[in-house]
Amino acid sequence: MYIFKRVNDIKKHIEALKEKGKTIGFIPTMGALHDGHISLIKETKTDIKVCSIFVNPTQFNDIKDLEKYPRTPSKDIDLLLESKSCDILFMPTVEEIYPLNFKAKDFDFGNIGNIMEGEFRPGHFQGMANVVHRLLEIINPDELIMGQKDFQQVAIVNLMLKQTKSNTKLVMLETKREKDGLAMSSRNIRLNESERTLAPLIYKNLLISKKNALDGLDIRTIESNFIENIEANKEFKVEYVNIVDGTSLNIINNITDTNFLVMCIATWLGNVRLIDNIIIKNQ
Ligand code: AMP
């Protein structure tokens, strides 16, 4: 595995591979890698797999969240080497990604950018879309691979790729979970023992909600039941629960109103913020 820290070095390396006809897949991450990240890399189908580790300061609306974000660079390198999944690792500094002449783009994502994560993390999607755009300029991959775990993020990046007329194809891969159903996340290591035992309730209740939706229970009732069931444990504080159209992310009133229905949630568990989602139907 090659490791690059500088933009010019990785650009040169990738350009040479492209000249040889190799296809490039790119998996951006913020590090503190777990098996969810590793399976994204393993499932990538291109000749060359490039992974980046960059904790992007501009997508954190809360400075404390940025400071607390887990950073485990040498463990990450070991995990990538052990898994033999990654060909190139890009670990740039903030200065490499945002040189003095860097000009952020002002994207307009409309409703998709304003609800859910957009509402509760103002500025998050502008920062995220800008860093993905910048990384794509550097790597210029054939495929960009992202996890369903961050469903709204995938919708935003999809829009950004259209707006910038990018040739990169976006591939969304399913959420990887622990055996008890908890979605793998770099933030999970911040849960204490008792919070960790409660955390699987999130997915358990997403599964119950999905079943109830398919059985015809009213959508608003499903959302309020979810909050009630989760918050029966005082360690949880649900931030939002929305059942939305999987493409427009518009709030849906009846299950029959769309063919692509997704339930997205964010909740605090102690002082850790967790997000998850479930596709109720996509046909
Ligand atoms: P992060 O480092 O958390 O920003 O995530 C980097 C990429 O990995 C994003 O595309 C995430 O959606 C994806 N990812 C994170 N956790 C999971 C998971 N449990 N399953 C699948 N993909 C994931």
Side-chain angles (χ1 to χ4, degrees):
M1 180 174 77
Y2 291 91
I3 303 180
F4 293 100
K5 291 189 187 299
R6 296 200 172 271
V7 169
N8 287 342
D9 296 343
I10 192 167
K11 260 185 156 173
K12 249 188 253 159
H13 188 86
I14 289 180
E15 272 158 23
L17 288 166
K18 287 197 140 208
E19 267 165 34
K20 284 188 199 150
K22 302 283 185 200
T23 56
I24 312 290
F26 176 45
I27 306 97
T29 83
M30 297 207 298
L33 299 182
H34 50 67
D35 286 348
H37 295 120
I38 300 297
S39 24
L40 285 192
I41 304 171
K42 280 189 174 160
E43 288 168 29
T44 297
K45 301 268 188 293
T46 49
D47 299 329
I48 303 292
K49 303 170 190 196
V50 183
C51 169
S52 66
I53 295 180
F54 181 63
V55 182
N56 176 35
T58 70
Q59 73 188 67
F60 285 83
N61 54 313
D62 175 358
I63 180 83
K64 283 208 200 88
D65 193 27
L66 171 63
E67 282 165 3
K68 281 187 297 190
Y69 200 84
R71 289 166 172 85
T72 56
S74 46
K75 237 175 105 190
D76 291 348
I77 294 174
D78 287 348
L79 199 60
L80 288 170
L81 287 171
E82 220 174 86
S83 69
K84 298 191 171 72
S85 53
C86 177
D87 301 295
I88 301 170
L89 171 61
F90 184 38
M91 295 179 93
T93 58
V94 173
E95 292 73 22
E96 281 289 305
I97 294 298
Y98 301 119
L100 285 177
N101 61 355
F102 177 80
K103 233 180 134 357
K105 278 186 172 290
D106 189 13
F107 291 109
D108 181 3
F109 299 120
N111 173 59
I112 298 187
N114 292 333
I115 61 165
M116 302 195 288
E117 293 299 290
E119 180 183 345
F120 287 93
R121 302 184 70 191
H124 167 65
F125 284 136
Q126 284 295 337
M128 182 280 292
N130 263 287
V131 80
V132 173
H133 182 256
R134 168 85 175 120
L135 289 167
L136 291 179
E137 251 175 18
I138 299 165
I139 313 283
N140 189 16
D142 300 280
E143 290 186 10
L144 170 63
I145 293 87
M146 304 191 96
Q148 184 199 320
K149 161 84 180 10
D150 299 273
F151 189 81
Q152 193 175 6
Q153 170 168 283
V154 178
I156 294 277
V157 169
N158 197 17
L159 204 54
M160 183 272 280
L161 293 177
K162 283 199 182 111
Q163 289 178 2
T164 57
K165 300 190 170 56
S166 169
N167 292 322
T168 298
K169 179 179 159 217
L170 179 58
V171 178
M172 180 175 86
L173 297 178
E174 69 173 25
T175 304
K176 305 298 174 300
R177 300 182 180 279
E178 303 289 353
K179 282 199 180 73
D180 57 17
L182 174 65
M184 291 179 183
S185 164
S186 309
R187 294 169 194 267
N188 292 351
I189 50 179
R190 291 181 40 221
L191 297 170
N192 67 30
E193 212 174 305
S194 75
E195 290 161 354
R196 179 61 189 82
T197 50
L198 289 171
L201 283 174
I202 299 170
Y203 187 54
K204 196 176 156 209
N205 280 282
L206 283 174
L207 288 171
I208 293 171
S209 303
K210 173 172 176 164
K211 182 176 183 309
N212 286 339
L214 294 174
D215 286 347
L217 190 66
D218 166 65
I219 277 183
R220 298 287 94 78
T221 310
I222 293 169
E223 291 169 347
S224 52
N225 285 352
F226 181 92
I227 299 175
E228 210 173 289
N229 290 342
I230 290 280
E231 290 189 348
N233 304 278
K234 63 174 178 12
E235 290 84 350
F236 281 105
K237 182 80 194 103
V238 176
E239 208 162 61
Y240 65 77
V241 179
N242 284 131
I243 296 182
V244 297
D245 176 85
T247 309
S248 67
L249 302 198
N250 286 333
I251 304 285
I252 292 296
N253 295 318
N254 292 299
I255 184 167
T256 47
D257 289 352
T258 175
N259 293 327
F260 189 11
L261 198 62
V262 186
M263 180 165 174
C264 300
I265 72 100
T267 182
W268 289 89
L269 178 48
N271 55 22
V272 183
R273 187 176 184 276
L274 300 173
I275 61 170
D276 203 347
N277 64 76
I278 195 163
I279 295 178
I280 294 173
K281 62 169 185 172
N282 185 12
Q283 58 196 7

